Amino acid sequence: EIVMTQSPATLSVSPGERATLSCRASQSISNNLAWYQQKPGQAPRLLIYAASTRATGIPARFSGSGSGTDFTLTISSLQSEDFAVYYCQQYINWPPLTFGGGTKVEIK
Amino acid sequence: QVQLVQSGAEVKKPGASVKVSCKASGYTFTNYAMHWVRQAPGQRLEWMGWINPGNYNTKYSQKFQGRVTITRDTSASTAYLELSGLRSEDTAVYYCARDPGTLLRGVIIGPDAFDIWGQGTMVTVSS
Protein backbone atom coordinates (compact mmCIF):
# COMPACT_ATOMS: atom_id res chain seq x y z
CA GLU A 1 0.00 0.00 0.00
CA ILE A 2 1.31 3.43 -0.95
CA VAL A 3 1.36 5.85 1.96
CA MET A 4 0.69 9.50 1.15
CA THR A 5 2.13 12.06 3.57
CA GLN A 6 1.10 15.70 3.49
CA SER A 7 2.83 18.64 5.09
CA PRO A 8 2.30 20.83 6.93
CA ALA A 9 -0.79 19.65 8.75
CA THR A 10 -1.92 23.26 9.15
CA LEU A 11 -0.87 26.29 7.14
CA SER A 12 -1.70 29.80 8.35
CA VAL A 13 -1.81 32.28 5.49
CA SER A 14 -3.08 35.83 5.05
CA PRO A 15 -5.52 36.57 2.20
CA GLY A 16 -3.62 37.51 -0.94
CA GLU A 17 -0.52 35.54 0.05
CA ARG A 18 0.84 32.41 -1.62
CA ALA A 19 0.27 28.98 -0.10
CA THR A 20 2.46 25.98 -0.85
CA LEU A 21 1.29 22.51 0.17
CA SER A 22 3.38 19.35 -0.08
CA CYS A 23 2.51 15.71 -0.67
CA ARG A 24 4.94 12.81 -0.66
CA ALA A 25 4.31 9.24 -1.81
CA SER A 26 6.08 6.27 -0.21
CA GLN A 27 7.04 5.03 -3.68
CA SER A 28 6.95 6.43 -7.18
CA ILE A 29 3.51 7.12 -8.60
CA SER A 30 4.71 8.91 -11.75
CA ASN A 31 2.15 11.72 -12.22
CA ASN A 32 -0.90 9.77 -11.04
CA LEU A 33 -1.82 12.26 -8.36
CA ALA A 34 -4.92 14.31 -7.67
CA TRP A 35 -5.61 17.20 -5.30
CA TYR A 36 -9.01 17.81 -3.70
CA GLN A 37 -10.42 20.69 -1.69
CA GLN A 38 -12.89 20.04 1.12
CA LYS A 39 -14.82 22.68 3.05
CA PRO A 40 -16.61 21.92 6.33
CA GLY A 41 -19.77 19.89 5.81
CA GLN A 42 -19.13 19.48 2.09
CA ALA A 43 -17.90 16.72 -0.19
CA PRO A 44 -14.40 16.98 -1.63
CA ARG A 45 -13.99 18.80 -4.94
CA LEU A 46 -11.42 17.85 -7.58
CA LEU A 47 -8.88 20.60 -8.19
CA ILE A 48 -5.95 18.98 -9.99
CA TYR A 49 -5.39 15.63 -11.70
CA ALA A 50 -2.38 14.08 -13.41
CA ALA A 51 -0.32 16.12 -10.91
CA SER A 52 -0.62 19.39 -12.82
CA THR A 53 -3.85 19.57 -14.86
CA ARG A 54 -6.58 21.80 -13.46
CA ALA A 55 -10.05 20.28 -13.40
CA THR A 56 -12.92 21.99 -15.18
CA GLY A 57 -13.80 25.34 -13.68
CA ILE A 58 -10.84 25.54 -11.31
CA PRO A 59 -9.27 29.02 -11.17
CA ALA A 60 -5.77 29.55 -12.53
CA ARG A 61 -4.46 30.54 -9.08
CA PHE A 62 -4.38 26.80 -8.30
CA SER A 63 -1.41 24.95 -9.77
CA GLY A 64 0.13 21.55 -9.23
CA SER A 65 3.60 20.24 -9.89
CA GLY A 66 5.80 17.25 -9.24
CA SER A 67 6.39 13.71 -10.39
CA GLY A 68 7.58 10.47 -8.86
CA THR A 69 7.27 10.86 -5.10
CA ASP A 70 7.16 14.61 -4.40
CA PHE A 71 4.30 16.90 -5.31
CA THR A 72 3.24 20.46 -4.62
CA LEU A 73 -0.04 22.34 -4.75
CA THR A 74 0.36 26.10 -4.96
CA ILE A 75 -2.36 28.67 -4.46
CA SER A 76 -0.86 31.86 -5.83
CA SER A 77 -3.00 34.45 -4.06
CA LEU A 78 -5.36 33.13 -1.42
CA GLN A 79 -8.97 34.20 -1.60
CA SER A 80 -11.43 33.91 1.29
CA GLU A 81 -13.13 30.92 -0.35
CA ASP A 82 -9.83 28.98 -0.49
CA PHE A 83 -9.61 28.41 3.26
CA ALA A 84 -10.30 24.68 3.48
CA VAL A 85 -8.65 21.28 3.85
CA TYR A 86 -6.68 19.94 0.89
CA TYR A 87 -6.05 16.25 0.24
CA CYS A 88 -3.76 14.52 -2.21
CA GLN A 89 -4.55 11.07 -3.61
CA GLN A 90 -2.64 8.52 -5.66
CA TYR A 91 -4.54 6.46 -8.21
CA ILE A 92 -1.98 4.23 -9.87
CA ASN A 93 -1.14 1.54 -7.31
CA TRP A 94 -4.27 -0.23 -6.12
CA PRO A 95 -6.13 -1.54 -4.39
CA PRO A 96 -6.25 0.40 -2.23
CA LEU A 97 -6.33 3.93 -3.57
CA THR A 98 -4.89 6.15 -0.86
CA PHE A 99 -5.23 9.71 0.36
CA GLY A 100 -2.95 11.93 2.34
CA GLY A 101 -3.87 13.13 5.81
CA GLY A 102 -4.76 16.59 4.57
CA THR A 103 -3.46 20.13 5.00
CA LYS A 104 -5.76 22.67 6.60
CA VAL A 105 -5.28 26.15 5.18
CA GLU A 106 -6.46 28.67 7.75
CA ILE A 107 -6.61 32.43 7.95
CA LYS A 108 -3.59 33.99 9.60
CA GLN B 1 -26.22 18.82 -14.91
CA VAL B 2 -24.03 15.96 -13.79
CA GLN B 3 -24.75 14.99 -10.23
CA LEU B 4 -24.73 12.16 -7.74
CA VAL B 5 -27.48 12.13 -5.15
CA GLN B 6 -27.10 9.83 -2.16
CA SER B 7 -29.66 8.41 0.21
CA GLY B 8 -30.29 9.90 3.62
CA ALA B 9 -28.64 9.50 6.99
CA GLU B 10 -28.80 6.16 8.79
CA VAL B 11 -28.56 5.10 12.42
CA LYS B 12 -27.72 1.45 12.98
CA LYS B 13 -26.96 -0.82 15.89
CA PRO B 14 -23.67 -2.72 16.14
CA GLY B 15 -23.74 -5.91 14.09
CA ALA B 16 -26.34 -4.60 11.66
CA SER B 17 -25.92 -3.84 7.95
CA VAL B 18 -26.43 -0.63 6.04
CA LYS B 19 -27.08 -0.03 2.36
CA VAL B 20 -26.40 3.40 0.87
CA SER B 21 -27.51 4.40 -2.61
CA CYS B 22 -26.02 6.84 -5.10
CA LYS B 23 -28.19 7.93 -8.02
CA ALA B 24 -26.41 9.36 -11.03
CA SER B 25 -27.87 11.80 -13.51
CA GLY B 26 -26.70 13.98 -16.38
CA TYR B 27 -24.35 11.40 -17.92
CA THR B 28 -24.23 7.82 -19.21
CA PHE B 29 -23.97 5.76 -16.04
CA THR B 30 -22.16 2.80 -17.62
CA ASN B 31 -19.39 4.95 -19.10
CA TYR B 32 -17.85 5.85 -15.73
CA ALA B 33 -16.62 3.89 -12.75
CA MET B 34 -17.95 4.62 -9.27
CA HIS B 35 -16.01 4.59 -6.04
CA TRP B 36 -17.05 4.61 -2.40
CA VAL B 37 -15.00 6.62 0.08
CA ARG B 38 -15.66 7.21 3.74
CA GLN B 39 -14.55 9.82 6.24
CA ALA B 40 -14.77 9.26 9.97
CA PRO B 41 -15.09 12.39 12.14
CA GLY B 42 -11.88 14.42 11.90
CA GLN B 43 -10.14 11.72 9.84
CA ARG B 44 -8.72 11.44 6.36
CA LEU B 45 -10.61 10.11 3.36
CA GLU B 46 -10.56 6.32 3.16
CA TRP B 47 -11.17 4.40 -0.06
CA MET B 48 -13.47 1.39 0.26
CA GLY B 49 -13.96 0.04 -3.24
CA TRP B 50 -15.12 0.61 -6.78
CA ILE B 51 -17.43 -0.75 -9.43
CA ASN B 52 -17.30 -0.51 -13.18
CA PRO B 53 -21.03 -0.35 -13.96
CA GLY B 54 -20.38 -1.31 -17.56
CA ASN B 55 -19.01 -4.78 -16.83
CA TYR B 56 -19.80 -5.16 -13.09
CA ASN B 57 -16.12 -5.48 -12.23
CA THR B 58 -15.52 -4.65 -8.56
CA LYS B 59 -12.47 -4.18 -6.36
CA TYR B 60 -12.42 -3.68 -2.62
CA SER B 61 -9.99 -2.48 -0.02
CA GLN B 62 -8.54 -5.42 1.88
CA LYS B 63 -9.56 -3.62 5.07
CA PHE B 64 -13.24 -4.14 4.26
CA GLN B 65 -13.04 -7.44 2.40
CA GLY B 66 -15.82 -9.73 3.47
CA ARG B 67 -17.94 -6.91 4.91
CA VAL B 68 -18.45 -4.64 1.89
CA THR B 69 -20.44 -5.20 -1.29
CA ILE B 70 -20.78 -2.68 -4.10
CA THR B 71 -23.52 -3.24 -6.65
CA ARG B 72 -25.32 -1.28 -9.34
CA ASP B 73 -28.67 -1.10 -11.09
CA THR B 74 -28.04 0.23 -14.57
CA SER B 75 -31.76 0.69 -15.27
CA ALA B 76 -31.90 3.12 -12.34
CA SER B 77 -28.41 4.61 -12.88
CA THR B 78 -27.74 3.85 -9.23
CA ALA B 79 -24.80 2.39 -7.36
CA TYR B 80 -25.06 0.85 -3.90
CA LEU B 81 -22.72 0.29 -1.00
CA GLU B 82 -23.61 -2.33 1.57
CA LEU B 83 -21.54 -2.69 4.72
CA SER B 84 -22.25 -5.48 7.16
CA GLY B 85 -21.13 -6.30 10.68
CA LEU B 86 -21.24 -2.64 11.66
CA ARG B 87 -19.21 -1.45 14.62
CA SER B 88 -18.81 1.95 16.24
CA GLU B 89 -15.66 2.61 14.19
CA ASP B 90 -17.80 2.55 11.03
CA THR B 91 -19.47 5.78 12.07
CA ALA B 92 -18.58 8.09 9.21
CA VAL B 93 -19.78 10.04 6.21
CA TYR B 94 -19.89 7.79 3.17
CA TYR B 95 -19.36 9.30 -0.28
CA CYS B 96 -19.80 7.97 -3.79
CA ALA B 97 -17.50 9.48 -6.42
CA ARG B 98 -17.45 9.24 -10.19
CA ASP B 99 -14.30 8.27 -12.05
CA PRO B 100 -13.82 8.56 -15.83
CA GLY B 101 -11.23 5.80 -15.55
CA THR B 102 -8.01 5.05 -17.30
CA LEU B 103 -9.04 3.89 -20.75
CA LEU B 104 -7.53 1.41 -23.16
CA ARG B 105 -9.30 1.32 -26.52
CA GLY B 106 -12.34 2.86 -24.86
CA VAL B 107 -12.48 0.32 -22.04
CA ILE B 108 -11.93 1.29 -18.40
CA ILE B 109 -8.90 -0.63 -17.18
CA GLY B 110 -8.08 1.31 -14.04
CA PRO B 111 -8.86 4.35 -11.93
CA ASP B 112 -8.32 8.04 -12.50
CA ALA B 113 -9.16 11.07 -10.38
CA PHE B 114 -12.67 11.40 -8.92
CA ASP B 115 -14.33 14.21 -10.79
CA ILE B 116 -17.83 14.29 -9.26
CA TRP B 117 -18.80 13.45 -5.69
CA GLY B 118 -22.10 12.76 -4.01
CA GLN B 119 -23.20 14.93 -1.10
CA GLY B 120 -22.36 12.25 1.45
CA THR B 121 -24.43 10.01 3.73
CA MET B 122 -23.90 10.03 7.48
CA VAL B 123 -23.97 6.55 8.99
CA THR B 124 -24.00 6.39 12.78
CA VAL B 125 -23.42 3.10 14.56
CA SER B 126 -24.57 3.20 18.16
CA SER B 127 -26.20 0.89 20.64
Side-chain angles (χ1 to χ4, degrees):
Chain A
E1 173 176 333
I2 292 182
V3 177
M4 306 299 292
T5 303
Q6 291 186 242
S7 61
T10 304
L11 188 60
S12 298
V13 186
S14 299
E17 288 189 341
R18 173 187 294 257
T20 302
L21 289 66
S22 294
C23 175
R24 175 166 289 178
S26 60
Q27 63 190 77
S28 178
I29 58 171
S30 185
N31 70 334
N32 295 282
L33 183 103
W35 288 95
Y36 301 89
Q37 177 194 66
Q38 187 178 34
K39 296 179 181 179
Q42 296 185 17
R45 176 175 73 141
L46 178 64
L47 298 176
I48 301 283
Y49 63 95
S52 61
T53 303
R54 276 190 303 277
T56 303
I58 300 304
R61 63 181 181 272
F62 291 93
S63 63
S65 64
S67 182
T69 60
D70 291 299
F71 302 87
T72 300
L73 174 70
T74 302
I75 311 171
S76 60
S77 175
L78 271 157
Q79 308 297 302
S80 57
E81 61 267 29
D82 300 336
F83 293 96
V85 180
Y86 293 83
Y87 293 96
C88 61
Q89 177 216 12
Q90 67 83 19
Y91 51 86
I92 185 63
N93 188 304
W94 75 307
L97 302 175
T98 49
F99 294 85
T103 291
K104 181 180 181 181
V105 177
E106 64 177 24
I107 300 174
K108 187 175 182 179
Chain B
Q1 75 281 21
V2 176
Q3 62 177 350
L4 302 174
V5 178
Q6 298 182 221
S7 49
E10 303 264 11
V11 179
K12 295 291 183 182
K13 295 205 180 300
S17 297
V18 68
K19 191 169 186 177
V20 181
S21 67
C22 171
K23 183 170 178 57
S25 60
Y27 71 96
T28 301
F29 180 65
T30 52
N31 286 355
Y32 293 78
M34 193 76 78
H35 298 265
W36 287 91
V37 176
R38 78 177 187 180
Q39 188 172 38
Q43 300 300 308
R44 72 175 66 190
L45 299 162
E46 182 174 35
W47 181 80
M48 300 181 71
W50 94 329
I51 187 166
N52 179 343
N55 61 14
Y56 219 104
N57 181 34
T58 55
K59 280 190 193 290
Y60 302 116
S61 170
Q62 184 78 14
K63 176 176 178 177
F64 303 101
Q65 205 83 32
R67 289 207 299 143
V68 66
T69 306
I70 298 174
T71 57
R72 77 358 180 187
D73 178 349
T74 54
S75 66
S77 296
T78 301
Y80 301 92
L81 170 78
E82 185 165 19
L83 187 62
S84 62
L86 289 170
R87 31 210 192 226
S88 59
E89 310 90 87
D90 294 318
T91 294
V93 177
Y94 290 76
Y95 295 101
C96 58
R98 189 184 82 159
D99 177 358
T102 298
L103 302 179
L104 180 63
R105 300 190 197 94
V107 177
I108 295 174
I109 59 167
D112 205 302
F114 303 169
D115 63 350
I116 303 291
W117 293 65
Q119 84 276 19
T121 297
M122 182 70 210
V123 175
T124 303
V125 183
S126 173
S127 55

